[in-house]
PDB file of all heavy atoms in Angstrom:
ATOM      1  N   TYR A  18       9.059 -11.479   4.643  1.00 97.00           N
ATOM      2  CA  TYR A  18       7.930 -11.762   3.751  1.00 97.00           C
ATOM      3  C   TYR A  18       8.047 -13.163   3.148  1.00 97.00           C
ATOM      4  O   TYR A  18       7.080 -13.908   3.078  1.00 97.00           O
ATOM      5  CB  TYR A  18       7.882 -10.706   2.637  1.00 97.00           C
ATOM      6  CG  TYR A  18       6.794 -10.926   1.628  1.00 97.00           C
ATOM      7  CD1 TYR A  18       5.508 -10.444   1.860  1.00 97.00           C
ATOM      8  CD2 TYR A  18       7.041 -11.600   0.435  1.00 97.00           C
ATOM      9  CE1 TYR A  18       4.497 -10.641   0.929  1.00 97.00           C
ATOM     10  CE2 TYR A  18       6.035 -11.802  -0.492  1.00 97.00           C
ATOM     11  CZ  TYR A  18       4.768 -11.320  -0.241  1.00 97.00           C
ATOM     12  OH  TYR A  18       3.767 -11.518  -1.165  1.00 97.00           O
ATOM     13  N   ARG A  19       9.259 -13.517   2.736  1.00 95.00           N
ATOM     14  CA  ARG A  19       9.503 -14.829   2.106  1.00 95.00           C
ATOM     15  C   ARG A  19       9.782 -15.923   3.135  1.00 95.00           C
ATOM     16  O   ARG A  19      10.010 -17.071   2.775  1.00 95.00           O
ATOM     17  CB  ARG A  19      10.668 -14.707   1.129  1.00 95.00           C
ATOM     18  CG  ARG A  19      10.314 -13.874  -0.079  1.00 95.00           C
ATOM     19  CD  ARG A  19      11.466 -13.835  -1.088  1.00 95.00           C
ATOM     20  NE  ARG A  19      11.064 -13.142  -2.291  1.00 95.00           N
ATOM     21  CZ  ARG A  19      11.063 -11.823  -2.447  1.00 95.00           C
ATOM     22  NH1 ARG A  19      11.448 -11.044  -1.438  1.00 95.00           N
ATOM     23  NH2 ARG A  19      10.681 -11.273  -3.577  1.00 95.00           N
ATOM     24  N   GLU A  20       9.799 -15.548   4.410  1.00 93.00           N
ATOM     25  CA  GLU A  20      10.079 -16.474   5.512  1.00 93.00           C
ATOM     26  C   GLU A  20      11.419 -17.180   5.363  1.00 93.00           C
ATOM     27  O   GLU A  20      11.549 -18.375   5.607  1.00 93.00           O
ATOM     28  CB  GLU A  20       8.942 -17.488   5.669  1.00 93.00           C
ATOM     29  CG  GLU A  20       7.627 -16.846   6.037  1.00 93.00           C
ATOM     30  CD  GLU A  20       6.563 -17.846   6.364  1.00 93.00           C
ATOM     31  OE1 GLU A  20       6.701 -18.512   7.404  1.00 93.00           O
ATOM     32  OE2 GLU A  20       5.602 -17.966   5.582  1.00 93.00           O
ATOM     33  N   THR A  21      12.422 -16.411   4.981  1.00 91.00           N
ATOM     34  CA  THR A  21      13.772 -16.952   4.849  1.00 91.00           C
ATOM     35  C   THR A  21      14.743 -16.293   5.834  1.00 91.00           C
ATOM     36  O   THR A  21      15.934 -16.611   5.822  1.00 91.00           O
ATOM     37  CB  THR A  21      14.305 -16.779   3.406  1.00 91.00           C
ATOM     38  OG1 THR A  21      14.241 -15.405   3.047  1.00 91.00           O
ATOM     39  CG2 THR A  21      13.494 -17.616   2.427  1.00 91.00           C
ATOM     40  N   ALA A  22      14.231 -15.400   6.693  1.00 92.00           N
ATOM     41  CA  ALA A  22      15.083 -14.738   7.684  1.00 92.00           C
ATOM     42  C   ALA A  22      15.582 -15.768   8.695  1.00 92.00           C
ATOM     43  O   ALA A  22      14.871 -16.699   9.057  1.00 92.00           O
ATOM     44  CB  ALA A  22      14.308 -13.633   8.393  1.00 92.00           C
ATOM     45  N   VAL A  23      16.803 -15.598   9.140  1.00 90.00           N
ATOM     46  CA  VAL A  23      17.401 -16.496  10.118  1.00 90.00           C
ATOM     47  C   VAL A  23      17.280 -15.917  11.525  1.00 90.00           C
ATOM     48  O   VAL A  23      17.210 -16.642  12.502  1.00 90.00           O
ATOM     49  CB  VAL A  23      18.880 -16.757   9.763  1.00 90.00           C
ATOM     50  CG1 VAL A  23      19.544 -17.639  10.801  1.00 90.00           C
ATOM     51  CG2 VAL A  23      18.982 -17.396   8.390  1.00 90.00           C
ATOM     52  N   ARG A  24      17.227 -14.592  11.637  1.00 93.00           N
ATOM     53  CA  ARG A  24      17.050 -13.937  12.935  1.00 93.00           C
ATOM     54  C   ARG A  24      16.303 -12.626  12.713  1.00 93.00           C
ATOM     55  O   ARG A  24      16.304 -12.071  11.622  1.00 93.00           O
ATOM     56  CB  ARG A  24      18.389 -13.692  13.623  1.00 93.00           C
ATOM     57  CG  ARG A  24      19.297 -12.738  12.926  1.00 93.00           C
ATOM     58  CD  ARG A  24      20.686 -12.652  13.557  1.00 93.00           C
ATOM     59  NE  ARG A  24      21.352 -13.918  13.736  1.00 93.00           N
ATOM     60  CZ  ARG A  24      22.037 -14.549  12.793  1.00 93.00           C
ATOM     61  NH1 ARG A  24      22.124 -14.035  11.590  1.00 93.00           N
ATOM     62  NH2 ARG A  24      22.616 -15.684  13.039  1.00 93.00           N
ATOM     63  N   VAL A  25      15.697 -12.151  13.799  1.00 96.00           N
ATOM     64  CA  VAL A  25      14.932 -10.907  13.737  1.00 96.00           C
ATOM     65  C   VAL A  25      15.318 -10.044  14.928  1.00 96.00           C
ATOM     66  O   VAL A  25      15.279 -10.509  16.070  1.00 96.00           O
ATOM     67  CB  VAL A  25      13.406 -11.180  13.766  1.00 96.00           C
ATOM     68  CG1 VAL A  25      12.633  -9.886  13.656  1.00 96.00           C
ATOM     69  CG2 VAL A  25      13.007 -12.144  12.669  1.00 96.00           C
ATOM     70  N   ASP A  26      15.690  -8.806  14.675  1.00 97.00           N
ATOM     71  CA  ASP A  26      16.045  -7.869  15.748  1.00 97.00           C
ATOM     72  C   ASP A  26      14.798  -7.393  16.467  1.00 97.00           C
ATOM     73  O   ASP A  26      13.710  -7.307  15.877  1.00 97.00           O
ATOM     74  CB  ASP A  26      16.763  -6.638  15.174  1.00 97.00           C
ATOM     75  CG  ASP A  26      18.138  -6.953  14.620  1.00 97.00           C
ATOM     76  OD1 ASP A  26      18.753  -7.931  15.095  1.00 97.00           O
ATOM     77  OD2 ASP A  26      18.588  -6.220  13.717  1.00 97.00           O
ATOM     78  N   MET A  27      14.969  -7.056  17.737  1.00 97.00           N
ATOM     79  CA  MET A  27      13.858  -6.517  18.527  1.00 97.00           C
ATOM     80  C   MET A  27      13.330  -5.228  17.899  1.00 97.00           C
ATOM     81  O   MET A  27      12.123  -4.996  17.877  1.00 97.00           O
ATOM     82  CB  MET A  27      14.317  -6.252  19.966  1.00 97.00           C
ATOM     83  CG  MET A  27      14.737  -7.508  20.706  1.00 97.00           C
ATOM     84  SD  MET A  27      13.351  -8.569  21.086  1.00 97.00           S
ATOM     85  CE  MET A  27      12.749  -7.754  22.535  1.00 97.00           C
ATOM     86  N   ASP A  28      14.225  -4.398  17.381  1.00 98.00           N
ATOM     87  CA  ASP A  28      13.820  -3.149  16.743  1.00 98.00           C
ATOM     88  C   ASP A  28      12.928  -3.424  15.532  1.00 98.00           C
ATOM     89  O   ASP A  28      11.949  -2.709  15.292  1.00 98.00           O
ATOM     90  CB  ASP A  28      15.052  -2.336  16.323  1.00 98.00           C
ATOM     91  CG  ASP A  28      14.674  -1.025  15.677  1.00 98.00           C
ATOM     92  OD1 ASP A  28      14.016  -0.197  16.345  1.00 98.00           O
ATOM     93  OD2 ASP A  28      15.018  -0.831  14.487  1.00 98.00           O
ATOM     94  N   THR A  29      13.247  -4.468  14.780  1.00 98.00           N
ATOM     95  CA  THR A  29      12.439  -4.839  13.608  1.00 98.00           C
ATOM     96  C   THR A  29      11.039  -5.242  14.050  1.00 98.00           C
ATOM     97  O   THR A  29      10.040  -4.785  13.472  1.00 98.00           O
ATOM     98  CB  THR A  29      13.109  -5.998  12.844  1.00 98.00           C
ATOM     99  OG1 THR A  29      14.390  -5.574  12.374  1.00 98.00           O
ATOM    100  CG2 THR A  29      12.256  -6.453  11.675  1.00 98.00           C
ATOM    101  N   MET A  30      10.948  -6.073  15.080  1.00 98.00           N
ATOM    102  CA  MET A  30       9.634  -6.489  15.581  1.00 98.00           C
ATOM    103  C   MET A  30       8.852  -5.279  16.088  1.00 98.00           C
ATOM    104  O   MET A  30       7.647  -5.161  15.827  1.00 98.00           O
ATOM    105  CB  MET A  30       9.789  -7.528  16.688  1.00 98.00           C
ATOM    106  CG  MET A  30      10.273  -8.867  16.183  1.00 98.00           C
ATOM    107  SD  MET A  30      10.240 -10.154  17.431  1.00 98.00           S
ATOM    108  CE  MET A  30      11.656  -9.714  18.408  1.00 98.00           C
ATOM    109  N   ASP A  31       9.525  -4.380  16.800  1.00 98.00           N
ATOM    110  CA  ASP A  31       8.883  -3.179  17.320  1.00 98.00           C
ATOM    111  C   ASP A  31       8.302  -2.335  16.187  1.00 98.00           C
ATOM    112  O   ASP A  31       7.147  -1.899  16.249  1.00 98.00           O
ATOM    113  CB  ASP A  31       9.891  -2.367  18.134  1.00 98.00           C
ATOM    114  CG  ASP A  31       9.281  -1.131  18.749  1.00 98.00           C
ATOM    115  OD1 ASP A  31       8.321  -1.279  19.533  1.00 98.00           O
ATOM    116  OD2 ASP A  31       9.766  -0.021  18.452  1.00 98.00           O
ATOM    117  N   ARG A  32       9.080  -2.122  15.155  1.00 98.00           N
ATOM    118  CA  ARG A  32       8.624  -1.298  14.022  1.00 98.00           C
ATOM    119  C   ARG A  32       7.443  -1.944  13.296  1.00 98.00           C
ATOM    120  O   ARG A  32       6.508  -1.244  12.902  1.00 98.00           O
ATOM    121  CB  ARG A  32       9.765  -1.063  13.046  1.00 98.00           C
ATOM    122  CG  ARG A  32      10.830  -0.135  13.587  1.00 98.00           C
ATOM    123  CD  ARG A  32      11.995  -0.050  12.629  1.00 98.00           C
ATOM    124  NE  ARG A  32      13.086   0.714  13.186  1.00 98.00           N
ATOM    125  CZ  ARG A  32      13.672   1.726  12.558  1.00 98.00           C
ATOM    126  NH1 ARG A  32      13.256   2.087  11.358  1.00 98.00           N
ATOM    127  NH2 ARG A  32      14.660   2.363  13.127  1.00 98.00           N
ATOM    128  N   LEU A  33       7.485  -3.263  13.122  1.00 98.00           N
ATOM    129  CA  LEU A  33       6.382  -3.951  12.447  1.00 98.00           C
ATOM    130  C   LEU A  33       5.113  -3.917  13.300  1.00 98.00           C
ATOM    131  O   LEU A  33       4.009  -3.713  12.776  1.00 98.00           O
ATOM    132  CB  LEU A  33       6.771  -5.390  12.114  1.00 98.00           C
ATOM    133  CG  LEU A  33       7.832  -5.551  11.031  1.00 98.00           C
ATOM    134  CD1 LEU A  33       8.251  -7.013  10.900  1.00 98.00           C
ATOM    135  CD2 LEU A  33       7.322  -5.020   9.687  1.00 98.00           C
ATOM    136  N   CYS A  34       5.257  -4.108  14.599  1.00 98.00           N
ATOM    137  CA  CYS A  34       4.093  -4.050  15.496  1.00 98.00           C
ATOM    138  C   CYS A  34       3.464  -2.660  15.479  1.00 98.00           C
ATOM    139  O   CYS A  34       2.235  -2.528  15.464  1.00 98.00           O
ATOM    140  CB  CYS A  34       4.486  -4.437  16.916  1.00 98.00           C
ATOM    141  SG  CYS A  34       4.837  -6.196  17.114  1.00 98.00           S
ATOM    142  N   LYS A  35       4.283  -1.628  15.470  1.00 98.00           N
ATOM    143  CA  LYS A  35       3.762  -0.261  15.408  1.00 98.00           C
ATOM    144  C   LYS A  35       3.064  -0.002  14.083  1.00 98.00           C
ATOM    145  O   LYS A  35       1.983   0.590  14.045  1.00 98.00           O
ATOM    146  CB  LYS A  35       4.891   0.748  15.613  1.00 98.00           C
ATOM    147  CG  LYS A  35       5.349   0.850  17.049  1.00 98.00           C
ATOM    148  CD  LYS A  35       6.477   1.844  17.200  1.00 98.00           C
ATOM    149  CE  LYS A  35       6.942   1.878  18.648  1.00 98.00           C
ATOM    150  NZ  LYS A  35       8.130   2.703  18.821  1.00 98.00           N
ATOM    151  N   LEU A  36       3.670  -0.450  12.991  1.00 98.00           N
ATOM    152  CA  LEU A  36       3.098  -0.218  11.662  1.00 98.00           C
ATOM    153  C   LEU A  36       1.740  -0.899  11.514  1.00 98.00           C
ATOM    154  O   LEU A  36       0.782  -0.293  11.030  1.00 98.00           O
ATOM    155  CB  LEU A  36       4.058  -0.723  10.574  1.00 98.00           C
ATOM    156  CG  LEU A  36       3.554  -0.612   9.138  1.00 98.00           C
ATOM    157  CD1 LEU A  36       3.349   0.855   8.741  1.00 98.00           C
ATOM    158  CD2 LEU A  36       4.525  -1.294   8.186  1.00 98.00           C
ATOM    159  N   PHE A  37       1.651  -2.148  11.933  1.00 98.00           N
ATOM    160  CA  PHE A  37       0.413  -2.912  11.764  1.00 98.00           C
ATOM    161  C   PHE A  37      -0.514  -2.814  12.983  1.00 98.00           C
ATOM    162  O   PHE A  37      -1.580  -3.430  12.991  1.00 98.00           O
ATOM    163  CB  PHE A  37       0.737  -4.375  11.446  1.00 98.00           C
ATOM    164  CG  PHE A  37       1.346  -4.552  10.090  1.00 98.00           C
ATOM    165  CD1 PHE A  37       2.693  -4.852   9.956  1.00 98.00           C
ATOM    166  CD2 PHE A  37       0.582  -4.407   8.945  1.00 98.00           C
ATOM    167  CE1 PHE A  37       3.262  -5.012   8.699  1.00 98.00           C
ATOM    168  CE2 PHE A  37       1.131  -4.558   7.684  1.00 98.00           C
ATOM    169  CZ  PHE A  37       2.480  -4.859   7.562  1.00 98.00           C
ATOM    170  N   LYS A  38      -0.077  -2.054  14.011  1.00 98.00           N
ATOM    171  CA  LYS A  38      -0.873  -1.891  15.241  1.00 98.00           C
ATOM    172  C   LYS A  38      -1.311  -3.252  15.783  1.00 98.00           C
ATOM    173  O   LYS A  38      -2.499  -3.533  15.953  1.00 98.00           O
ATOM    174  CB  LYS A  38      -2.078  -0.992  14.986  1.00 98.00           C
ATOM    175  CG  LYS A  38      -1.707   0.429  14.599  1.00 98.00           C
ATOM    176  CD  LYS A  38      -2.929   1.257  14.289  1.00 98.00           C
ATOM    177  CE  LYS A  38      -2.579   2.686  13.964  1.00 98.00           C
ATOM    178  NZ  LYS A  38      -1.863   2.889  12.745  1.00 98.00           N
ATOM    179  N   CYS A  39      -0.303  -4.100  16.006  1.00 98.00           N
ATOM    180  CA  CYS A  39      -0.567  -5.461  16.467  1.00 98.00           C
ATOM    181  C   CYS A  39       0.513  -5.893  17.450  1.00 98.00           C
ATOM    182  O   CYS A  39       1.442  -5.136  17.716  1.00 98.00           O
ATOM    183  CB  CYS A  39      -0.611  -6.419  15.273  1.00 98.00           C
ATOM    184  SG  CYS A  39       0.984  -6.626  14.448  1.00 98.00           S
ATOM    185  N   GLY A  40       0.381  -7.094  17.974  1.00 98.00           N
ATOM    186  CA  GLY A  40       1.369  -7.651  18.876  1.00 98.00           C
ATOM    187  C   GLY A  40       2.320  -8.585  18.147  1.00 98.00           C
ATOM    188  O   GLY A  40       2.063  -8.980  17.003  1.00 98.00           O
ATOM    189  N   VAL A  41       3.384  -8.948  18.824  1.00 97.00           N
ATOM    190  CA  VAL A  41       4.376  -9.856  18.237  1.00 97.00           C
ATOM    191  C   VAL A  41       3.716 -11.177  17.825  1.00 97.00           C
ATOM    192  O   VAL A  41       4.021 -11.741  16.777  1.00 97.00           O
ATOM    193  CB  VAL A  41       5.538 -10.110  19.226  1.00 97.00           C
ATOM    194  CG1 VAL A  41       6.496 -11.156  18.688  1.00 97.00           C
ATOM    195  CG2 VAL A  41       6.283  -8.819  19.515  1.00 97.00           C
ATOM    196  N   GLY A  42       2.770 -11.652  18.641  1.00 96.00           N
ATOM    197  CA  GLY A  42       2.079 -12.905  18.353  1.00 96.00           C
ATOM    198  C   GLY A  42       1.215 -12.871  17.106  1.00 96.00           C
ATOM    199  O   GLY A  42       0.843 -13.912  16.573  1.00 96.00           O
TER     200      GLY A  42
END
């Protein structure tokens, strides 16, 4: 949210995409 993450796990991206019903892009 604060754009301070240094890396993002694939599982995290998967969960966010499912929650917001969107793509990684």
Side-chain angles (χ1 to χ4, degrees):
Y18 178 86
R19 291 184 174 83
E20 297 187 68
T21 56
V23 177
R24 65 187 52 83
V25 182
D26 292 333
M27 297 290 279
D28 181 61
T29 298
M30 290 188 284
D31 182 59
R32 289 175 186 232
L33 291 173
C34 288
K35 285 179 182 173
L36 177 64
F37 291 107
K38 297 177 177 68
C39 67
V41 174

